[in-house]
């Protein structure tokens, strides 16, 4: 119970309000403003967003709004102000051309430090049993192993969310493969399929990517597609090569870059490694922490990494 001497007038009301709210005035978060961060559908992204949000709130005093959204939706919402930050962008040269170069409502805030890899993978046991299966030129020989009810006489290539960066339908067609792309709908479904295929030794050919915490738990082997060369994926309908290496970057609205102050500086300064991201993601999945709890743990244990991100 709070005991106070009797006071009259506005001063009494102000002191009473401060006492009931813990004795502190209006939060610095309100004074500094709000940062809108969209959350895309893979756990590595959520892990990265959680760390940025934690630092924005606890080190700089901003309020952070996090909104689940599809990648293309986020880009469309830069101009309206509904989103300030995409914390991890995988290429999207078409969207960069439209929203950065042409409409000029967004810009890159620099690299995340993560090195992205997209490709086709099989469980390790398949690569050991069929050593030549990791060469795309031999996939038709094994198509019968990957047949499902959805693909009939063709083999299945299991993809994730159809809004993820993918050339798989074009690859199947242009490489003359007797396969059909089936969309599982999410990263979680891909992970579940990989775990089941490893545990039960069932065939699986899947689209997957790094950084990804799952590689520390099960073994997947990448299928060698035709080597990537600059420009080989310039026409989406004619792609017949592997995915490029991705240097992932952060995308922000131009408005945020111009008016975001220290919040924008923190986003711009942020850079870490695949191992850092995988650690936070693993806390969330394997130790069942919330994104906020996982971020707090990583921040507590890695000040040497993030201290230089904080604006002076």
């Amino acid at each position: 119970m709070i005991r106070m001497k009797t006071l009259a007038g506005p001063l009494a009301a102000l002191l009473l309000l401060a006492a009931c709210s813990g004795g502190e005035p209006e939060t610095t978060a309100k004074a500094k403003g709000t940062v809108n961060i969209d959350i895309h559908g893979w756990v590595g992204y959520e892990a990265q967003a959680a760390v940025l949000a934690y630092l924005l709130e606890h080190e700089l005093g901003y309020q952070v709004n996090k909104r689940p959204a599809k990648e293309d939706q986020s880009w469309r919402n830069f101009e309206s102000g509904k989103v300030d930050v995409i914390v991890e962008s995988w290429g999207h040269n078409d969207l960069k051309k439209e929203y950065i170069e042409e409409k000029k409502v967004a810009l890159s805030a620099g690299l995340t430090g993560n090195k992205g890899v997209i490709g086709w993978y099989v469980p390790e046991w398949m690569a050991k049993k069929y050593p030549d299966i990791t060469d795309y030129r031999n996939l038709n020989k094994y198509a019968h192993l990957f047949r499902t009810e959805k693909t009939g006489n063709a083999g299945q290539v299991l993809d994730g969310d159809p809004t993820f960066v993918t050339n798989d339908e074009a690859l199947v067609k242009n490489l003359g493969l007797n396969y059909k792309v089936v969309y599982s709908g999410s990263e979680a479904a891909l992970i579940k399929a990989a775990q089941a295929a490893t545990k039960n030794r069932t065939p699986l050919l899947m689209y997957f990517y790094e950084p990804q915490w799952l590689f520390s738990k099960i073994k997947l082997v990448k299928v060698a597609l035709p080597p990537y060369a600059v420009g080989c994926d310039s026409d989406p309908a004619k792609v017949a090569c592997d995915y490029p290496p991705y240097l992932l970057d952060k995308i922000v609205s131009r408005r945020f870059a111009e008016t975001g102050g220290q919040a924008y500086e923190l986003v711009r300064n942020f850079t870490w490694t695949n191992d850092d991201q995988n650690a936070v993601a693993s806390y969330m999945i394997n130790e069942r922490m919330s994104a906020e709890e996982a971020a707090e743990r990583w921040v507590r244990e890695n000040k040497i990494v993030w201290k230089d991100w904080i604006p002076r």
Side-chain angles (χ1 to χ4, degrees):
M1 179 180 293
I2 299 171
R3 296 183 180 274
M4 299 178 61
K5 290 184 179 180
T6 303
L7 294 172
L11 178 60
L14 181 61
L15 290 175
L16 180 60
L17 177 62
C20 292
S21 62
E24 296 191 3
E26 188 178 43
T27 65
T28 55
K30 221 170 197 178
K32 280 209 169 181
T34 300
V35 180
N36 299 310
I37 298 178
D38 271 4
I39 306 299
H40 294 165
W42 57 95
V43 70
Y45 185 107
E46 187 178 0
Q48 189 159 306
V51 169
L52 264 173
Y54 187 90
L55 292 173
L56 284 165
E57 292 173 341
H58 295 274
E59 293 295 321
L60 295 182
Y62 287 84
Q63 180 178 331
V64 178
N65 288 337
K66 291 185 282 187
R67 177 188 73 161
K70 299 291 187 181
E71 294 176 80
D72 55 348
Q73 178 188 8
S74 295
W75 287 82
R76 292 196 304 270
N77 286 165
F78 274 134
E79 190 170 9
S80 68
K82 290 181 180 178
V83 56
D84 297 315
V85 185
I86 293 173
V87 305
E88 182 180 282
S89 176
W90 287 71
H92 292 298
N93 291 333
D94 56 337
L95 295 173
K96 286 182 176 179
K97 181 179 180 181
E98 180 177 358
Y99 292 97
I100 294 178
E101 297 176 17
E102 296 174 356
K103 294 186 176 179
K104 301 185 186 305
V105 295
L107 53 86
S108 174
L111 300 177
T112 69
N114 297 128
K115 295 177 175 61
V117 177
I118 297 177
W120 291 1
Y121 292 83
V122 295
E124 184 183 50
W125 72 263
M126 292 198 78
K128 288 182 176 179
K129 185 172 181 179
Y130 312 104
D132 62 345
I133 201 171
T134 57
D135 184 330
Y136 82 94
R137 290 169 291 194
N138 299 318
L139 284 177
N140 279 346
K141 181 168 68 171
Y142 296 105
H144 65 281
L145 297 176
F146 301 103
R147 291 173 183 165
T148 69
E149 292 182 358
K150 294 181 179 180
T151 62
N153 290 327
Q156 174 179 273
V157 179
L158 188 66
D159 269 44
D161 186 314
T163 66
F164 288 178
V165 173
T166 177
N167 299 327
D168 287 358
E169 291 186 18
L171 283 169
V172 166
K173 177 182 178 182
N174 297 327
L175 295 178
L177 299 177
N178 183 28
Y179 284 79
K180 181 178 179 180
V181 176
V182 173
Y183 294 94
S184 65
S186 68
E187 178 185 74
L190 285 175
I191 290 172
K192 185 176 180 180
Q195 291 171 326
T198 297
K199 180 180 179 180
N200 303 323
R201 294 177 68 85
T202 51
L204 176 67
L205 176 61
M206 66 184 291
Y207 163 104
F208 212 47
Y209 41 82
E210 299 181 57
Q212 170 53 241
W213 64 266
L214 186 65
F215 285 98
S216 67
K217 294 296 181 180
I218 65 174
K219 301 297 183 184
L220 300 170
V221 179
K222 194 170 184 289
V223 173
L225 295 170
Y228 176 81
V230 175
C232 71
D233 57 351
S234 58
D235 185 342
K238 297 180 179 179
V239 175
C241 60
D242 206 346
Y243 291 86
Y246 290 94
L247 296 178
L248 310 183
D249 61 347
K250 301 151 289 186
I251 308 296
V252 299
S253 72
R254 181 170 294 276
R255 180 185 308 169
F256 179 69
E258 293 172 350
T259 65
Q262 287 188 322
Y264 169 66
E265 290 183 56
L266 173 58
V267 172
R268 186 184 60 194
N269 293 343
F270 177 99
T271 179
W272 66 354
T273 67
N274 286 16
D275 288 342
D276 290 322
Q277 186 183 106
N278 287 342
V280 180
S282 182
Y283 298 155
M284 294 164 60
I285 300 299
N286 299 311
E287 300 188 29
R288 301 184 183 280
M289 291 184 179
S290 68
E292 291 73 20
E293 290 169 340
E296 180 181 8
R297 175 175 170 179
W298 186 89
V299 167
R300 186 174 65 247
E301 296 175 354
N302 291 275
K303 186 170 184 178
I304 193 171
V305 178
W306 59 262
K307 63 183 179 63
D308 290 335
W309 304 344
I310 306 300
R312 303 298 180 188

